[in-house]
Amino acid sequence: MKKVIIGLSGGVDSSVAAWLLQEQGYEVEGLFMVNWHDTVGVLSGDCPAEHDRLLAQLVAKKLQIPFHEIDLSAEYRERVVEYMFREYERGRTPNPDVLCNREIKFGPFLDIAKQRGADYIATGHYCRKETIEKDGKTYHRLLAGADKNKDQSYFLCQLSQEQLADVLFPIGHLEKPEVRRIARDLGLPTADRKDSQGICFVGKVDLPTFLQQQLQAKEGDIVEVFPTSSLSGGLEQAIIGKHRGAHFYTIGQRKGLNVGGKKEPLFVIDTDVEKNIVYVGMGEQHPGLYRNELFIYSDDIHWLRPDLSMDAGETRRYTVRIRYRQPLQTAQLFRTADGIRIIFDQPQRGITPGQFAVWYDGEELLGAGVICDARDVIRYEG
């Protein structure tokens, strides 16, 4: 009998995944990760670790599977949180959930599971895996989840073939309502628990307060950019308020500007951390929110299917998303000597440096990369 260790989080998805593995004849054990202890900036009542642990224990007891707990908080701080601080300091917006999967769940968690004799690890992600043979070699394909509203393949865009070989995704073929129905039928205590939000293993946070653990607050100007002006010059700009630090803001952000008296909401359209300026535009259709193109440097490109990587000078058409749950967008990928240019068929709202652009061929996620500073590519010129 093959042994699987599943990451029990205290949520409904991993709970049902554990039961499905039992039904498939695996020997199943639950492993709960403690990745964060600090409560600075964490909003009260969000993602409480003690409640997560209790629910995970209750699920393990209900399913009659062994339950273990590991503390990976040191690794999480070093590999995920410190990365977050560095990226925000540079004026970029990182995605800690992507890093948590690559560096924690498929790093030390996987290592510990193997030490405990596991043949596989399993997670409650809404995605699928398919193994194929090509030219005498084995490749693992990462496919979108059957539930298009919950597909979580985006969060796994940095996994390697070696990591994919060792993982199972038991609920990838199901839709969320069916997962909850199974949980209710089984009487699992997580059946009606809401989905977690915020930073992976930290929860919902007041971001400036959280970041001020390492990044200093520094007052600067909020500059409104009018549709007839540019960010690089012109007269159609005005200082309309003050902020606490440009590194606390991200492109597309609406809340936290504390500037009133406008006919429509203001949105962040750019930041300059060197000059400590936050640029904003009024209304969701402000042209400063939209870009046709992004660029990814060679060092930041990752192919889940290395056999399908692009050579310099090569051009391909794929579908791309620049954030979780964004509908896939058609685009042209150009491989240059120093990276990949992605040019979209339609302008994209809120392309954000530091986030991941992920490209698909049909249902298969082929590759991904960290979006570089948008000003290296195209800057709004009105």
Side-chain angles (χ1 to χ4, degrees), residues 150-210:
K150 290 291 295 181
D151 169 38
Q152 293 174 313
S153 57
Y154 177 91
F155 291 128
L156 304 177
C157 68
Q158 292 291 289
L159 297 190
S160 66
Q161 283 289 305
E162 291 74 22
Q163 290 169 318
L164 281 172
D166 292 323
V167 66
L168 301 175
F169 302 115
I171 65 169
H173 64 292
L174 299 174
E175 295 190 353
K176 185 76 176 198
E178 177 67 4
V179 170
R180 289 205 182 276
R181 184 196 65 76
I182 292 172
R184 292 189 189 104
D185 289 348
L186 293 172
L188 296 178
T190 55
D192 296 307
R193 194 178 189 203
K194 293 181 179 179
D195 292 344
S196 61
Q197 296 180 341
I199 300 172
C200 182
F201 291 106
V202 177
K204 292 186 72 174
V205 299
D206 179 319
L207 192 59
T209 302
F210 183 79

Side-chain angles (χ1 to χ4, degrees), residues 98 102 142 153-159 294 296-305 318 320-321 333 340 342 355-360 365-371:
V98 173
R102 186 184 74 186
L142 179 63
S153 57
Y154 177 91
F155 291 128
L156 304 177
C157 68
Q158 292 291 289
L159 297 190
L294 62 83
I296 300 167
Y297 285 115
S298 295
D299 289 346
D300 292 326
I301 298 170
H302 175 70
W303 290 91
L304 277 81
R305 287 287 302 276
Y318 287 129
V320 180
R321 61 168 45 108
L333 274 66
I340 287 180
I342 299 180
Q355 291 285 294
F356 289 87
V358 178
W359 48 92
Y360 294 76
L365 195 162
L366 298 183
V370 182
I371 300 170

